[in-house]
Amino acid sequence: VAAALGLPLVWRARADTFPYAHDWAPGRLQALVDLLNRRVHRILATTDYEAQMMLRAGVREDKVFVVRNGVDLPTYDRAEGAEAIRAACGAADLIVSFVARMVPQKGYEV
């Protein structure tokens, strides 16, 4: 509707779109790329990896912008917080965590 009214349309890409396009029916990826190039003013990716996948698929470079997700790390950089977490988990020295979606491209097995 926005595009039909001549309003700028911004599409927030999902990391589960282009990485899985190889599994799509023939022509579906090209249809998406054509739609994005024709109708969408800006496309927001959250990573360079995601942006590169779009560009390789044929999305116009002038439309793709990377806007990273952000976390205020100093908020979590408190020794007393780490000690409390280790005590609650029963861990002596080291806790390794991974904050992300549980999807194959994250490489959890590595």
Side-chain angles (χ1 to χ4, degrees):
V1 173
L5 294 174
L7 300 171
L9 182 61
V10 177
W11 184 61
R12 195 299 202 174
R14 297 268 321 163
D16 56 1
T17 301
F18 283 86
Y20 297 105
H22 62 277
D23 290 335
W24 292 0
R28 185 173 173 205
L29 175 60
Q30 189 58 51
L32 173 62
V33 169
D34 291 345
L35 174 73
L36 294 174
N37 285 335
R38 187 176 66 253
R39 294 287 189 171
V40 177
H41 186 70
R42 295 284 187 259
I43 302 163
L44 306 180
T46 55
T47 66
D48 293 326
Y49 167 76
E50 186 178 40
Q52 288 303 315
M53 291 189 89
M54 290 180 210
L55 297 175
R56 280 194 301 273
V59 176
R60 287 183 18 203
E61 186 174 5
D62 63 315
K63 293 181 177 272
V64 179
F65 294 84
V66 176
V67 179
R68 294 173 188 3
N69 291 330
V71 175
D72 185 12
L73 292 178
T75 300
Y76 304 98
D77 191 23
R78 293 188 214 117
E80 68 275 4
E83 290 171 12
I85 292 170
R86 279 195 294 276
C89 294
D93 293 316
L94 179 67
I95 294 178
V96 176
S97 64
F98 197 95
V99 181
R101 291 176 303 119
M102 299 288 283
V103 294
Q105 71 256 34
K106 299 294 184 182
Y108 287 100
E109 70 283 359
V110 177

